[in-house]
Amino acid sequence: MWLTLLPLKAGIELGLSALVKKFGTVFAAALSVLAVCVLTSLLTMGAGWRMSDSATAPHEKTSAPTFYKDVLPILQNKCQSCHRSGEAAPMALVTYEQTRPWAGQIAAAVEMKKMPPWFADPRYGHFANDPSLSGEQMATIAAWEKAGAPAGNARDAPTPPKWSEGWNIPAPDLVVTMPKPVTIPARGEVEYTYEIVATHFAEDRWVQMAELRPSSAAHVHHAVVYIRPPDSPWLRHAPVGVPFTASMLSDSEERRQAHETTSDLLLVYAPGSAPDLWADGMAKFVPAGSDLVFQMHYTTNGLAASDETSVGLGFAKSAPKQRVITLQLNNHALLIPPGAEDFRVEVEGTLPNNATLLSFFPHMHLRGKRFEYDIVHGDGSVETLLRVNYHFHWQLSYKLADARELKAGTRLRAVAWYDNSRNNPHNPDPEKMVTRGDQTSDEMMVGFFDVAVPAGMDKWQYFIRRGQEGGKKQ
């Protein structure tokens, strides 16, 4: 089977359990894997974890690791992107006073490799955004906690990192915000919500960095931002600058289009996902006069709210040599039997032209168990590029440490395993025959991956093989 230009499903349902509805997306993600969370007393029952006694002055030992000299550098490099004010984690770990009460939980979470969150099997591939601690770093944190979490000399502290206020990318060149806030009810399901925003770009722009920030992150399951060029007919009769849903559109074809498009992706946001920062010489292309189409999936958690999501853009300083495009391996024909503990699904295709492989973004729902990307060589041997022990609370991307050059005809395969048994604590119905669908009670099997191609080649041109003609844009 060829890797064809399948319609890119606009609704990417991110599987979250009932915990999401009660606590919100960000806190659900934190509660599921973060031992150091606001419900520590519940999570630590019977586990032998303990809160450090902040009322007792730490016993300083010159031979023991100290916070300022040994632990703070680790936190700055591995933790503070989330564990600082205004970010996803439920507590900041910037100062000694903020960190010391959590020393026991930090040491336990590090020992169990629950923090920092990372789910790639270390036997396959090397990734630039791997936050995993080294054995030496883990030992340092364990020894520091065991010694009573001493502060040490504040003059040993490294220079604090310079964070952009409200962003994990450098200060954006442009922030595009949805013009009208979306009202989110306290309860019930919320239909996928769209908002089309005109960029008013008078010239073509190359986006090297992009980060999405919801104003009410606790209500956002996921968000996708699409690039709609000025010559695209996609949702052309939909309103601009105001929220709308598919059911609000009068034209049946446009109602269908709201859920399917082959438009380029600017970026995808999900709990735990990192912003896009492409290497020098690579960027995503936004033609002059394009619109950005925000596709939002909101969930309710008992509290009414409103959301005005923004996306921060950093432009390339000069025209890049390569254009980044997002492709996918997608299996729509899912049929997962009731009770199946390790059900295997795969899809494969061949690259129509040469490309530089950059990163992966696997996606499944509540029954997702593992996800793998492979190259199947001509002799039948299989080279595994990435294997993820899937965790639906954390939708992570995996960026290759070294970009991989792939030739036209390279056979790529994505393999997913599902647990539809009672042993899966997230399974909403182990008696159900599960098919593909948008809701978390259904399933998805999508293997997104980013590639770089020549700057002058768009996605449609990339899919033209010998003897083929381009298709109609939508």
Side-chain angles (χ1 to χ4, degrees):
M1 185 183 90
W2 282 358
L3 181 66
T4 56
L5 186 59
L6 297 174
L8 187 61
K9 191 71 177 177
I12 301 179
E13 183 71 32
L14 298 178
L16 292 175
S17 65
L19 187 63
V20 174
K21 295 183 178 179
K22 186 172 183 180
F23 295 102
T25 302
V26 172
F27 286 100
L31 290 169
S32 67
V33 297
L34 182 61
V36 288
C37 65
V38 294
L39 296 183
T40 300
S41 60
L42 295 178
L43 296 177
T44 58
M45 292 177 63
W49 294 6
R50 64 186 184 280
M51 284 285 283
S52 295
D53 185 2
S54 58
T56 304
H59 179 62
E60 304 279 357
K61 293 183 179 180
T62 56
S63 60
T66 66
F67 176 80
Y68 290 111
K69 183 178 181 180
D70 305 290
V71 174
L72 183 55
I74 299 173
L75 298 178
Q76 289 180 351
N77 292 329
K78 302 289 188 176
C79 307
Q80 288 181 6
S81 61
C82 290
H83 287 273
R84 69 181 200 272
S85 178
E87 295 303 318
M91 83 289 293
L93 300 176
V94 175
T95 68
Y96 178 70
E97 291 73 21
Q98 291 170 338
T99 307
R100 189 179 181 278
W102 300 99
Q105 282 62 42
I106 293 170
V110 165
E111 181 182 8
M112 298 174 68
K113 297 187 177 180
K114 289 184 175 293
M115 282 285 125
W118 187 251
F119 307 102
D121 189 321
R123 295 175 296 173
Y124 308 105
H126 299 283
F127 301 94
N129 61 326
D130 182 354
S132 303
L133 302 185
S134 67
E136 181 180 357
Q137 290 170 325
M138 294 173 65
T140 294
I141 290 176
W144 173 69
E145 191 274 335
K146 185 176 181 181
N153 191 331
R155 289 176 294 182
D156 292 332
T159 302
K162 294 182 179 179
W163 302 102
S164 299
E165 185 68 28
W167 301 95
N168 280 312
I169 60 173
D173 296 315
L174 176 68
V175 176
V176 179
T177 302
M178 298 193 311
K180 297 290 185 181
V182 178
T183 301
I184 305 168
R187 294 174 178 81
E189 291 187 350
V190 180
E191 190 178 355
Y192 290 169
T193 305
Y194 300 81
E195 197 155 340
I196 300 172
V197 185
T199 65
H200 301 295
F201 289 166
E203 58 184 8
D204 298 340
R205 304 307 297 260
W206 290 97
V207 176
Q208 190 171 357
M209 300 180 294
E211 180 179 1
L212 188 137
R213 306 284 292 198
S215 66
S216 184
H219 291 85
V220 179
H221 260 200
H222 81 275
V224 185
V225 181
Y226 295 98
I227 302 166
R228 187 177 74 170
D231 60 346
S232 170
W234 182 48
L235 295 177
R236 189 49 66 183
H237 299 102
V240 175
V242 296
F244 68 91
T245 64
S247 64
M248 294 169 61
L249 300 175
S250 58
D251 184 83
S252 60
E253 177 61 19
E254 290 213 329
R255 287 197 295 271
R256 182 193 65 79
Q257 287 183 9
H259 294 288
E260 292 184 353
T261 180
T262 52
S263 294
D264 276 347
L265 270 166
L266 179 63
L267 80 165
V268 179
Y269 166 89
S273 61
D276 286 340
L277 296 96
W278 305 112
D280 289 342
M282 297 181 183
K284 288 204 167 184
F285 181 67
V286 182
S290 291
D291 300 320
L292 298 184
V293 181
F294 288 72
Q295 185 270 318
M296 309 293 301
H297 179 212
Y298 296 110
T299 57
T300 58
N301 59 13
L303 297 174
S306 66
D307 175 72
E308 245 181 316
T309 289
S310 299
V311 59
L313 306 178
F315 300 125
K317 304 307 179 187
S318 59
K321 294 182 179 180
Q322 291 182 291
R323 174 176 179 167
V324 178
I325 57 176
T326 300
L327 306 177
Q328 63 172 311
L329 290 162
N330 190 344
N331 191 327
H332 290 270
L334 295 179
L335 198 64
I336 306 171
E341 293 186 5
D342 202 37
F343 189 76
R344 187 179 188 274
V345 176
E346 69 174 67
V347 62
E348 64 178 47
T350 58
L351 292 180
N353 288 287
N354 296 347
T356 304
L357 181 63
L358 303 175
S359 58
F360 307 100
F361 187 93
H363 178 69
M364 297 186 284
H365 285 179
L366 291 167
R367 297 169 177 87
K369 186 175 183 179
R370 294 190 307 279
F371 202 105
E372 178 175 306
Y373 293 82
D374 302 319
I375 293 177
V376 181
H377 293 288
D379 61 1
S381 62
V382 176
E383 178 186 356
T384 298
L385 303 174
L386 168 69
R387 179 179 292 171
V388 173
N389 296 309
Y390 197 76
H391 198 303
F392 71 87
H393 285 310
W394 291 91
Q395 307 283 331
L396 303 185
S397 58
Y398 299 85
K399 304 179 187 298
L400 289 171
D402 297 303
R404 177 75 176 266
E405 299 297 333
L406 299 178
K407 295 293 186 182
T410 298
R411 186 177 165 194
L412 291 177
R413 182 177 72 181
V415 187
W417 288 264
Y418 298 86
D419 184 354
N420 193 23
S421 74
R422 295 184 182 277
N423 296 327
N424 178 357
H426 308 299
N427 192 348
D429 185 1
E431 303 300 321
K432 178 181 178 180
M433 177 69 78
V434 182
T435 57
R436 189 200 179 283
D438 291 344
Q439 301 304 315
T440 57
S441 57
D442 304 314
E443 267 303 336
M444 280 189 177
M445 191 276 195
V446 185
F448 293 102
F449 59 102
D450 295 304
V451 298
V453 300
M457 177 182 286
D458 65 19
K459 186 164 66 173
W460 294 91
Q461 293 167 334
Y462 179 74
F463 276 91
I464 297 175
R465 305 172 190 258
R466 182 177 300 175
Q468 285 189 295
E469 298 295 333
K472 180 182 177 182
K473 290 186 179 182
Q474 178 172 299

